[in-house]
Amino acid sequence: ETGVTQSPTHLIKTRGQQVTLRCSSQSGHNTVSWYQQALGQGPQFIFQYYREEENGRGNFPPRFSGLQFPNYSSELNVNALELDDSALYLCASSPRQVALPEAFFGQGTRLTVV
Amino acid sequence: AQSVSQHNHHVILSEAASLELGCNYSYGGTVNLFWYVQYPGQHLQLLLKYFSGDPLVKGIKGFEAEFIKSKFSFNLRKPSVQWSDTAEYFCAVNARNNAGNMLTFGGGTRLMVKP
């Protein structure tokens, strides 16, 4: 186990709704990133949080937003859900050390939009 | 922008066969390179990583990878696969000046090892 926990494990939402996914990072890790993994594809970087601020973003629209809390846990929020948002959402934590950017992944939240 | 290509989407091998999975990346600067594995129903796990130094990197479970800078490649190898190696394998890169874990992944290679 990596020590990165995500909740919920599975979720079904209706198109147009909003969803919040949660992630607790591994102890001592202050950087959290979120990834979207569509079926049959590799994970795609959504954004990264460090010290409660977004400090990197992939090619995702603004309806994908996030938060990081003082205890380094994080949330991913998606507004106005679309069918294509159906995917496995992965959270990864790492220590803020440029020389060792190893990411530890949680098991993910499987989101289905119907 | 970075990109990663994994040429083999599905690979089927018999136990004891040798494995080589291809990975090529596109980026103009210095990168860190990774191979991750995702066993059925489990989280992504790091197999090995390359930052600098010896371009032949050894990881867990007998895997190794070779960084060939001139070819922008980081192929994964294992001399003799086992049934337990059945999994999906992902190559990933991040730019050397990026802290944290802003990774660009390839599309993955699904490996099936027949007993």
Side-chain angles (χ1 to χ4, degrees), chain A:
Chain A
E1 294 301 320
T2 63
V4 180
T5 58
Q6 294 185 242
S7 62
T9 55
H10 295 83
L11 201 53
I12 301 175
K13 288 287 191 178
T14 303
R15 190 171 48 183
Q17 284 188 315
Q18 178 266 342
V19 69
T20 298
L21 310 181
R22 294 177 175 83
C23 172
S24 293
S25 60
Q26 183 163 315
S27 177
H29 287 184
N30 52 16
T31 301
V32 175
S33 289
W34 287 90
Y35 294 81
Q36 180 195 67
Q37 187 177 12
L39 201 61
Q41 297 182 24
Q44 278 196 285
F45 174 71
I46 302 175
F47 44 55
Q48 176 175 277
Y49 276 81
Y50 170 65
R51 288 188 175 176
E52 303 175 51
E53 290 191 1
E54 183 183 298
N55 77 336
R57 189 176 185 94
N59 189 26
F60 281 83
R63 59 188 185 85
F64 285 78
S65 63
L67 285 173
Q68 187 181 31
F69 300 99
N71 66 354
Y72 306 133
S73 66
S74 177
E75 286 182 355
L76 164 66
N77 299 289
V78 187
N79 293 322
L81 283 166
E82 300 177 0
L83 296 179
D84 285 349
D85 295 333
S86 295
L88 181 68
Y89 288 85
L90 299 169
C91 170
S93 74
S94 61
R96 183 73 170 188
Q97 296 166 321
V98 176
L100 192 68
E102 179 176 341
F104 294 82
F105 285 83
Q107 287 201 285
T109 294
R110 173 78 59 191
L111 172 64
T112 302
V113 182
V114 297

Side-chain angles (χ1 to χ4, degrees), chain A residues 1-2 31 33 35 37 40-43 45 48 55-56 88 90 92-94 96 98-103 105-107, chain B residues 32 34 36 38 41-46 49 51 88 90 94 96-108 110:
Chain A
E1 294 301 320
T2 63
T31 301
S33 289
Y35 294 81
Q37 187 177 12
Q41 297 182 24
F45 174 71
Q48 176 175 277
N55 77 336
L88 181 68
L90 299 169
S93 74
S94 61
R96 183 73 170 188
V98 176
L100 192 68
E102 179 176 341
F105 285 83
Q107 287 201 285
Chain B
N32 302 311
F34 307 82
Y36 280 85
Q38 193 169 33
Q42 295 189 28
H43 59 270
L44 276 167
Q45 301 175 40
L46 183 68
K49 59 191 176 188
F51 298 147
E88 190 154 19
F90 294 95
N94 79 340
R96 184 64 60 83
N97 59 351
N98 278 342
N101 60 67
M102 290 186 272
L103 298 167
T104 300
F105 283 86
R110 193 173 293 274

Side-chain angles (χ1 to χ4, degrees), chain B residues 5-94:
Chain B
S5 295
Q6 292 183 241
H7 315 296
N8 314 101
H9 298 293
H10 292 89
V11 173
I12 302 174
L13 295 172
S14 298
E15 274 194 317
S18 64
L19 170 72
E20 180 159 3
L21 302 182
C23 171
N24 286 90
Y25 69 92
S26 173
Y27 182 66
T30 306
V31 296
N32 302 311
L33 297 152
F34 307 82
W35 275 96
Y36 280 85
V37 61
Q38 193 169 33
Y39 297 103
Q42 295 189 28
H43 59 270
L44 276 167
Q45 301 175 40
L46 183 68
L47 268 181
L48 47 78
K49 59 191 176 188
Y50 174 79
F51 298 147
S52 63
D54 188 344
L56 185 61
V57 179
K58 294 192 184 300
I60 61 171
K61 304 187 181 186
F63 286 91
E64 65 178 31
E66 184 176 13
F67 171 50
I68 303 179
K69 189 175 181 180
S70 61
K71 294 184 179 180
F72 297 91
S73 70
F74 190 56
N75 292 354
L76 181 71
R77 298 194 293 248
K78 186 170 184 179
S80 175
V81 295
Q82 301 173 311
W83 175 78
S84 58
D85 293 324
T86 294
E88 190 154 19
Y89 293 80
F90 294 95
C91 181
V93 305
N94 79 340

